[in-house]
Amino acid sequence: MQFKSSTININKKEEDSTWDFKGSDTKYSNHGIHNYPAMMIPQIARRLIEEYGKNASVLLDPFMGSGTALLEAKLHSNFKEAYGVDINPLALLVSKVKTTPIDDKLLFQEYENIINRFYKAKKTLNENIETPDFFNIDYWFKKEVKLDLTLLKKSIESIHLDDTKLENDVKDFFNIVFSNVTRTVSNTRNGEYKLYRIKKETLEDYNPDTFLEFKKQAKTNIKKMSEFNKQFKSCKVNILDEDTRYKTSIPSNHVDIVVTSPPYGDSRTTVAYGQFSRLSLQWLGFEKKEVSAIDKHGLGGIPTADLDNTLNSPLLQEIIDKIAQLDEKRVKDVLSFYKDFYQCVIEIDRVMKTGGFLCFVVGNRTVKGVQIPTDDIIIELFKSKNEYKHHKTIIRNIPSKRLPKRNSPTNVKGKTLSTMNHEYIVILEKI
């Protein structure tokens, strides 16, 4: 296929340190109730809403993750509705809890009930208590940790309220606390989004206090909910267990503004959301097969069979040609991601109103030493689908993030490359 010339205007790119938000509190309100990899900081979502959503009443985040944009919509007076889409059950649960107001006095009362049930169970402990038995549980959790997590899980499951919906909301709230604790007290290394076990010599002296971690996290999250309860507006939040690559339940021509941070690329070399979520989800009762499928079913999770490329992006074709000369296998992962992403472009275009703004916060990763200009490729893909105006691309520094500053993608000892230390905020308008 003959590709048209690139329509990217480099003069529309600008570095702007006011978008760095260095030193800002990124965990106000219900932000920060649960760790999640590669989270968009709330200040970015809030500023995008304020600058490009002045007349907006419906927001969409098609790659919802931990629900940052949805919570900001819930805190903003403009919005009647907000939609979030994700295939990861942990993202769905975290986003739901983040945006669902619950009386903090009730939460504290149920917190005390959980604590009392735990104390009682621990005191009258039966040595033969049945603990979960998912794959490699003893590799990732010490015996005492596994026991305490089991007792906490049972205590949360014992919550009973007359209102079934409220009971489920309260259980979900404490399941989020529990989920975060499972990762904190596991044998995984701190600060990693993939699963790496603590070194053997360190592990011997590692004895986390599971119960103390739960109490600390629960009190912190109840305090956050108390703050949220004073701030939230009437926006109806719709959490969709769907896939943006396919037609969602969102009506056509319905969305005024998209605020999102899509995945960086295939999970094998960037952010493995399923791997990050695995231990939490298995403790919450999800099957291994269901959990392990998250990364496989994510964007770029399955490599293309060949290099047949019909996407109308000259920049992407140039990148594919370069990487193909270096690694015929890796280039199929790259192409797969952008083919999947284009399916999302089709769906986003369907639900967008004319005059609506699309705000993409992206990182330009490097594969085999070749930097991929995802920000520019997104512009070309949307313009190839419909009439879109590129207003500008803002370049911001990333003061801190849950990704290494350098890595060794070639696995050659001593050879490292910089990972994403900048983000690009692409502003498009459907015209």
Side-chain angles (χ1 to χ4, degrees):
M1 178 179 180
Q2 183 67 40
F3 288 88
K4 63 182 181 181
S5 299
S6 173
T7 57
I8 304 303
N9 185 346
I10 61 171
N11 294 323
K12 289 187 177 181
K13 287 192 177 187
E14 57 184 54
E15 292 190 30
D16 189 343
S17 61
T18 66
W19 287 85
D20 296 352
F21 298 107
K22 188 174 183 179
S24 297
D25 175 17
T26 60
K27 296 184 178 181
Y28 60 83
S29 187
N30 270 344
H31 293 298
I33 64 169
H34 194 288
N35 290 330
Y36 204 80
M39 291 189 289
M40 181 199 309
I41 63 172
Q43 284 83 0
I44 291 178
R46 172 164 289 197
R47 184 167 170 182
L48 289 171
I49 286 170
E50 290 172 349
E51 293 192 12
Y52 300 99
K54 289 183 175 68
N55 301 312
S57 61
V58 179
L59 176 142
L60 166 65
D61 186 342
F63 312 102
M64 176 179 61
S66 65
T68 298
L70 299 185
L71 178 52
E72 284 303 313
K74 187 71 175 175
L75 295 174
H76 201 281
S77 58
N78 273 22
F79 294 98
K80 294 178 181 177
E81 283 186 295
Y83 292 86
V85 183
D86 212 290
I87 64 170
N88 185 345
L90 185 59
L92 299 169
L93 183 60
V94 172
S95 297
K96 184 225 172 185
V97 172
K98 259 188 179 180
T99 57
T100 302
I102 309 172
D103 180 23
D104 43 286
K105 293 184 179 62
L106 172 62
L107 289 175
F108 190 75
Q109 179 183 321
E110 290 305 317
Y111 160 77
E112 290 189 321
N113 290 338
I114 291 170
I115 298 305
N116 290 335
R117 284 193 292 268
F118 178 90
Y119 274 133
K120 185 176 180 180
K122 190 85 169 179
K123 190 174 181 180
T124 59
L125 186 63
N126 181 345
E127 290 296 331
N128 296 320
I129 187 170
E130 186 177 349
T131 58
D133 188 27
F134 56 78
F135 176 71
N136 257 356
I137 187 171
D138 293 323
Y139 181 81
W140 294 113
F141 297 92
K142 289 197 166 185
K143 182 179 179 181
E144 187 66 23
V145 169
K146 190 168 68 168
L147 176 61
D148 284 353
L149 286 173
T150 301
L151 296 179
L152 282 170
K153 186 171 185 287
K154 289 180 180 295
S155 188
I156 293 169
E157 290 170 348
S158 297
I159 293 172
H160 176 72
L161 299 172
D162 292 336
D163 184 327
T164 303
K165 180 184 180 305
L166 183 58
E167 178 183 306
N168 289 334
D169 288 345
V170 172
K171 283 182 178 178
D172 285 345
F173 176 89
F174 286 107
N175 277 332
I176 283 300
V177 177
F178 176 81
S179 169
N180 225 16
V181 170
T182 60
R183 183 82 185 201
T184 304
V185 300
S186 69
N187 297 339
T188 57
R189 298 197 315 231
N190 288 331
E192 299 280 0
Y193 58 88
K194 293 185 179 180
L195 290 175
Y196 295 105
R197 196 167 186 247
I198 295 171
K199 291 181 180 179
K200 186 177 179 180
E201 55 269 27
T202 307
L203 191 60
E204 292 175 1
D205 297 322
Y206 175 64
N207 296 296
D209 189 328
T210 305
F211 189 48
L212 178 61
E213 288 294 335
F214 180 85
K215 290 197 293 184
K216 281 170 27 182
Q217 182 74 50
K219 287 180 178 178
T220 296
N221 283 11
I222 292 172
K223 186 176 180 181
K224 286 180 171 296
M225 183 62 75
S226 176
E227 182 184 346
F228 171 67
N229 286 339
K230 298 171 186 174
Q231 299 170 334
F232 76 87
K233 305 300 188 294
S234 59
C235 175
K236 179 185 177 184
V237 177
N238 305 280
I239 307 294
L240 304 182
D241 181 8
E242 299 177 10
D243 190 331
T244 306
R245 284 170 291 188
Y246 309 105
K247 187 174 181 179
T248 64
S249 57
I250 304 169
S252 298
N253 306 311
H254 188 63
V255 173
D256 297 301
I257 184 169
V258 166
V259 177
T260 191
S261 180
Y264 291 123
D266 59 280
S267 64
R268 187 160 67 88
T269 54
T270 56
V271 179
Y273 295 97
Q275 192 176 147
F276 173 85
S277 309
R278 193 178 91 193
L279 298 180
S280 295
L281 289 174
Q282 287 181 313
W283 269 103
L284 291 172
F286 289 86
E287 297 294 328
K288 180 192 173 187
K289 181 172 67 173
E290 187 176 2
V291 176
S292 61
I294 295 170
D295 289 329
K296 183 178 180 181
H297 292 164
L299 302 190
I302 301 175
T304 57
D306 52 46
L307 295 183
D308 181 29
N309 176 23
T310 59
L311 301 180
N312 201 344
S313 169
L315 282 171
L316 177 60
Q317 186 59 48
E318 182 181 343
I319 293 298
I320 294 303
D321 291 342
K322 284 182 180 179
I323 299 176
Q325 295 175 13
L326 302 169
D327 192 324
E328 293 181 1
K329 185 176 180 181
R330 284 292 291 118
V331 72
K332 293 177 180 178
D333 294 327
V334 174
L335 181 57
S336 172
F337 172 79
Y338 290 100
K339 282 188 171 184
D340 281 350
F341 186 84
Y342 184 67
Q343 295 306 307
C344 300
V345 170
I346 295 171
E347 174 59 9
I348 294 168
D349 177 68
R350 180 186 72 82
V351 303
M352 286 299 300
K353 289 180 182 177
T354 300
F357 280 90
L358 300 87
C359 309
F360 289 89
V361 183
V362 303
N364 290 346
R365 67 181 178 133
T366 299
V367 174
K368 308 304 292 186
V370 178
Q371 188 176 52
I372 306 176
T374 297
D375 59 321
D376 292 337
I377 292 170
I378 284 176
I379 297 168
E380 291 190 337
L381 291 178
F382 270 96
K383 285 189 173 185
S384 74
K385 173 59 187 168
N386 214 324
E387 294 295 321
Y388 283 89
K389 177 182 179 182
H390 174 218
H391 280 259
K392 62 179 174 179
T393 297
I394 303 155
I395 304 172
R396 68 178 290 267
N397 295 307
I398 306 176
S400 63
K401 59 177 177 174
R402 204 169 185 179
L403 284 170
K405 292 292 183 183
R406 299 185 71 82
N407 65 12
S408 181
T410 59
N411 291 321
V412 176
K413 186 176 180 180
K415 186 174 182 179
T416 64
L417 292 171
S418 294
T419 57
M420 290 164 282
N421 298 317
H422 297 87
E423 280 181 332
Y424 300 79
I425 306 173
V426 180
I427 311 297
L428 296 168
E429 181 186 2
K430 185 175 182 179
I431 57 176

